[in-house]
Amino acid sequence: MTNVTDTLSQEPFVLYREFLILQSFIYNVWVCILLFGFVANAINITVFVKIGFRDNVTVSLLFLSLSDLMSLVLSSLTVANWFVGQHWPNHEWPFHRYIHVAFYWYSQVFYDYSSFISVFLGLVRCACVAKPLLFKSMFTVTRTLIILGVLFLVALSLRIPVLTSFRLTWAPKPQTNSTWLAYRASSNSRKMFAILDIVNRNVVSWVAYTITVICVIILVIKLVAASRFRQSLAAQTRGPTYKQKTVPPSKENSTPQSDAVNSAKESSNQDKKISNKLSAKDVQVIQSVTLICAIFIFSQLPFQFNSTNRLVDPEVAHGRRKRYVYEFGTQIAITCSYINSSINILVHYHFNSRYRETLLSLLPKKCAKVSV
């Protein structure tokens, strides 16, 4: 007779038990995050529309909130499927249960779009801080709208092969004489998913991730430099005021070549002075953009690790003994993606004074007083 304890101790798959434990509560967490995300992004959209299309940052943040909301809405059917299946496994669905897969792929279009907007925000802030005289007037509202439109087309085009590899069709319902809406994949869908998984979840995703990390590092350095510059100014105002006068060079001794060199140096020095002399508003914008990009970085990290692990480890890629390593990582990555699409409202409220004032103006007076 086989010992029951020995049988249970022989774990057939790595992280199988941990995956079952995670499954027992993670779907409840997803529902809570999505509900919060619906409300938060709806508030963000309302506030940014009220503010208006004044600058490229506001426009980008509005489109980011719209994209995040669409990603969460399209993901809600997947969350509902797993939540109901966990608590009511015998629930009778009016359509095929796995129809949520179709909506999942559409949600990925908007999640990719949100990622591209985060990268764009980081790049624009880096450019405006590094070369303010050159880039501050370059990213107008109209140009920003065009760029955001192009980014959406890129996100959509990267998913078109997947979106065209399945269809929703009416099919006979098992054990009944009725029909229901079902998900049908094409014959080459598995091969296409494998190819596009490498392109979207490894190549494109890692490029966007790396750019965002670099942008955050640069922005943090600039914030530290601006803070030190302000501290030095404060120390100078408290100390003795002494200015050493310098005699300007004679125009007679200058040459066209030296004038060009001096002009370039002056322009560079002016850029540095402007980047250090950041106004309180500029600092708030940089802080909010940096935090949004940082949230994207940390929430995307499990996703990057999971996708790369499946690419390099055959035991994970082919669903063998480590299949639940990937499944476990997928649950964590999905949770982080939902959080990433939901919590930007906290950043906007604490680091965007215009957002905070507009939001409080939309609330009843009693609620606004309590919030303050």
Side-chain angles (χ1 to χ4, degrees):
M1 186 174 179
T2 306
N3 192 340
V4 177
T5 305
D6 293 339
T7 304
L8 291 176
S9 63
Q10 295 174 0
E11 188 177 19
F13 299 106
V14 179
L15 289 185
Y16 176 67
R17 293 180 179 178
E18 290 81 357
F19 174 74
L20 293 179
I21 295 172
L22 182 65
Q23 257 191 334
S24 64
F25 69 88
I26 197 65
Y27 304 138
N28 302 325
V29 176
W30 287 359
V31 172
C32 296
I33 296 174
L34 257 65
L35 291 175
F36 176 80
F38 292 159
V39 176
N41 283 294
I43 293 173
N44 289 341
I45 293 168
T46 303
V47 172
F48 287 129
V49 169
K50 181 70 175 178
I51 293 174
F53 290 8
R54 296 184 179 183
D55 52 70
N56 59 69
V57 176
T58 304
V59 173
S60 300
L61 293 177
L62 171 60
F63 276 78
L64 179 61
S65 300
L66 286 168
S67 181
D68 286 340
L69 181 60
M70 286 301 301
S71 176
L72 294 174
V73 168
L74 291 170
S75 299
S76 60
L77 193 58
T78 299
V79 174
N81 171 74
W82 293 112
F83 179 79
V84 173
Q86 180 75 19
H87 296 282
W88 302 280
N90 297 323
H91 175 72
E92 288 289 335
W93 293 87
F95 43 79
H96 194 279
R97 179 179 175 182
Y98 292 103
I99 198 174
H100 71 88
V101 177
F103 293 90
Y104 165 80
W105 289 116
Y106 283 102
S107 71
Q108 291 302 295
V109 174
F110 286 96
Y111 185 75
D112 292 344
Y113 185 43
S114 295
S115 302
F116 295 162
I117 295 176
S118 299
V119 175
F120 173 68
L121 277 168
L123 285 173
V124 171
R125 283 303 94 195
C126 282
C128 291
V129 170
K131 290 288 184 179
L133 295 177
L134 179 62
F135 290 105
K136 270 200 171 182
S137 59
M138 179 178 293
F139 293 104
T140 62
V141 172
T142 303
R143 289 174 181 172
T144 300
L145 288 171
I146 294 173
I147 294 172
L148 293 175
V150 172
L151 291 177
F152 178 76
L153 293 177
V154 172
L156 180 62
S157 62
L158 289 172
R159 297 289 180 178
I160 281 180
V162 174
L163 299 177
T164 55
S165 64
F166 64 84
R167 59 191 177 94
L168 300 178
T169 182
W170 293 99
K173 188 175 181 180
Q175 300 176 351
T176 64
N177 294 326
S178 61
T179 58
W180 63 354
L181 197 61
Y183 172 87
R184 298 294 185 192
S186 60
S187 57
N188 64 338
S189 60
R190 286 183 175 273
K191 185 182 295 185
M192 189 174 297
F193 290 163
I195 295 173
L196 291 176
D197 187 76
I198 297 175
V199 175
N200 292 320
R201 295 193 173 183
N202 290 282
V203 179
V204 176
S205 185
W206 268 112
V207 169
Y209 189 80
T210 304
I211 293 174
T212 309
V213 171
I214 294 173
C215 289
V216 167
I217 293 173
I218 294 174
L219 290 174
V220 169
I221 292 173
K222 290 296 181 181
L223 283 173
V224 172
S227 176
R228 290 177 178 174
F229 181 77
R230 290 189 174 212
Q231 290 175 359
S232 65
L233 285 180
Q236 289 177 7
T237 55
R238 290 192 298 266
T241 57
Y242 172 76
K243 294 183 180 179
Q244 183 178 0
K245 294 183 179 181
T246 58
V247 179
S250 175
K251 292 184 179 179
E252 296 179 356
N253 297 332
S254 64
T255 62
Q257 185 176 2
S258 63
D259 289 342
V261 173
N262 292 333
S263 177
K265 289 182 178 179
E266 288 178 5
S267 178
S268 177
N269 292 334
Q270 193 171 2
D271 276 339
K272 290 180 180 179
K273 290 179 181 179
I274 293 176
S275 64
N276 287 332
K277 292 181 180 179
L278 295 173
S279 65
K281 180 183 175 182
D282 291 333
V283 171
Q284 284 185 347
V285 172
I286 296 174
Q287 286 176 335
S288 62
V289 171
T290 304
L291 279 175
I292 289 172
C293 293
I295 291 171
F296 167 73
I297 290 171
F298 287 108
S299 63
Q300 190 76 358
L301 187 59
F303 179 85
Q304 299 296 137
F305 173 78
N306 205 39
S307 298
T308 305
N309 186 33
R310 185 171 65 168
L311 183 65
V312 300
D313 191 345
E315 291 295 317
V316 174
H318 298 290
R320 298 176 183 173
R321 188 172 179 272
K322 295 181 181 179
R323 59 176 295 184
Y324 287 103
V325 173
Y326 179 77
E327 296 294 338
F328 187 91
T330 298
Q331 305 296 319
I332 300 297
I334 290 175
T335 305
C336 291
S337 70
Y338 293 159
I339 294 174
N340 180 37
S341 300
S342 302
I343 65 172
N344 285 337
I345 186 174
L346 304 178
V347 177
H348 301 326
Y349 186 83
H350 287 285
F351 294 95
N352 190 330
S353 58
R354 186 189 298 172
Y355 176 95
R356 185 168 55 254
E357 292 169 0
T358 306
L359 174 60
L360 294 177
S361 68
L362 295 174
L363 296 175
K365 292 184 178 180
K366 292 183 179 180
C367 297
K369 289 179 180 180
V370 173
S371 300
V372 175

